[in-house]
DNA sequence: ATTGAAAGGGAAGTGAT
DNA sequence: ATCACTTCCCTTTCAAT
């Protein structure tokens, strides 16, 4: 695993919230010179810790007023890996997770409305290997896109 | 709702994948001058279509090797809104959705391992109003952080 | 990791179509 | 509303210490 010191973590935390900060501004926040911050950021990019620079868009502004989680159970002779290409074609699918439990896949999807969700579900059902679909509609989203905080190796010691 | 033309959508699609593009580069991609792109981006920021500029971090690099979805059922006399402040304190919670169905809330959480997840679940259980927790562990993630594509108002016509 | 210098890009204003 | 151009200033980038 990659070693990150407190300053790397501080930099990552800042950039997860506002990636357009100048190196000077970042430097004064974490206590480093602009060039030093620059070096660290470039290293984090090279190591793949920073995967991409993106914008977060308001889904509603794009007309995507409905979010849903779609759980999929596969036929016994299919794997998630085989199904995946058939799912990628649907741009409404934002995430695809392989999961443990009753179902095999969990998708996060966004559509304009229930009608579009219905259409999407029918098309997903047509993908070979899919046995059952269970959809859960999101009524509202309280938190989303929170910055990831590095896992402390001793988070569990508070269990007693 | 905000009106977005084809060029706005093209700009948003590009920025969702790479937000550090120069206005010159963006302009040549969508067929506009740098200044025109600049104007549009600023407008999209002002309208709130662009919510934030962020980096996407590799969770594993931060030691977050476990992702899970935690479904919560509330006691009948509690609402999701009342519970939310009690959940925000846990930085391991990346998303909180209020949902329809058997459960009331669906959380996306990230921890370093199963032990840390166990500790988190116990602490969530201590939040007043929470009746039952059902956790689903993510085995692998095939897709995540896909760009949102504007919802076409006629997506459902393919249903027949 | 800091300093300093050079190159590039962003922001804002202008006038014109 | 877009374009082409110009200006200034900040930022990025890379060299050297």
């Amino acid at each position: 695993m990659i070693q990150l010191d407190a300053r790397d973590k501080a930099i990552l935390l800042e950039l997860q919230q506002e990636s357009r900060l100048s190196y000077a501004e970042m430097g004064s926040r974490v206590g480093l010179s602009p060039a030093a911050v620059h070096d660290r950021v470039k290293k984090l990019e090279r190591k793949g810790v920073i995967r991409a620079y993106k914008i977060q868009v308001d889904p509603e502004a794009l007309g995507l007023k409905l979010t849903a989680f779609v759980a999929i159970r596969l036929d016994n002779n299919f794997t998630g890996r085989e199904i995946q290409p058939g799912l990628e074609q649907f741009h409404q699918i934002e995430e695809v997770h392989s999961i443990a439990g009753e179902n095999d896949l969990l998708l996060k999807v966004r559509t304009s409305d229930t009608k579009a969700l219905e259409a999407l579900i029918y098309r997903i059902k047509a993908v070979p290997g899919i046995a059952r679909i269970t959809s859960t509609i999101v009524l509202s989203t309280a938190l989303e896109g929170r910055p990831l905080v590095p896992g402390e190796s001793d988070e569990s010691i508070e269990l007693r």
Side-chain angles (χ1 to χ4, degrees), chain A:
Chain A
M1 194 179 105
I2 301 136
Q3 283 301 357
L4 304 173
D5 65 13
R7 280 173 168 151
D8 288 323
K9 292 176 185 176
I11 290 172
L12 289 171
L13 196 58
E14 297 288 345
L15 288 178
Q16 281 185 277
Q17 297 166 78
E18 172 53 275
S19 65
R20 286 177 313 176
L21 289 176
S22 70
Y23 293 125
E25 174 61 28
M26 300 252 343
S28 63
R29 290 194 192 181
V30 305
L32 285 175
S33 72
V37 176
H38 179 259
D39 279 356
R40 282 170 179 262
V41 170
K42 291 303 159 195
K43 259 175 215 160
L44 291 169
E45 290 175 6
R46 261 184 272 116
K47 287 180 187 166
V49 178
I50 296 177
R51 276 194 180 151
Y53 290 74
K54 305 199 162 194
I55 58 167
Q56 189 180 106
V57 173
D58 176 13
E60 300 225 2
L62 298 185
L64 299 171
K65 293 186 286 284
L66 189 66
T67 304
F69 287 91
V70 175
I72 293 178
R73 180 162 180 135
L74 300 176
D75 292 324
N76 288 336
N77 45 343
F78 280 86
T79 69
R81 227 171 292 280
E82 292 164 346
I83 302 295
Q84 192 190 322
L87 295 176
E88 280 178 9
Q89 61 178 303
F90 303 115
H91 61 252
Q92 298 93 338
I93 301 179
E94 197 181 340
E95 300 181 10
V96 176
H97 304 275
S98 172
I99 55 174
E102 203 178 343
N103 292 293
D104 300 302
L105 296 175
L106 184 62
L107 321 183
K108 183 178 179 182
V109 308
R110 308 243 192 206
T111 63
S112 44
D113 50 32
T114 52
K115 207 156 180 159
L117 176 62
E118 185 185 17
L120 176 64
I121 290 172
Y122 277 119
R123 280 183 274 169
I124 291 177
K125 272 185 181 165
V127 175
I130 290 181
R132 200 185 64 199
I133 292 186
T134 310
S135 301
T136 301
I137 287 181
V138 171
L139 302 171
S140 71
T141 295
L143 288 177
E144 196 167 33
R146 267 186 144 193
L148 300 183
V149 176
E152 302 158 33
S153 42
D154 49 7
E155 262 170 348
S156 56
I157 60 172
E158 300 173 35
L159 238 188
R160 49 179 165 246

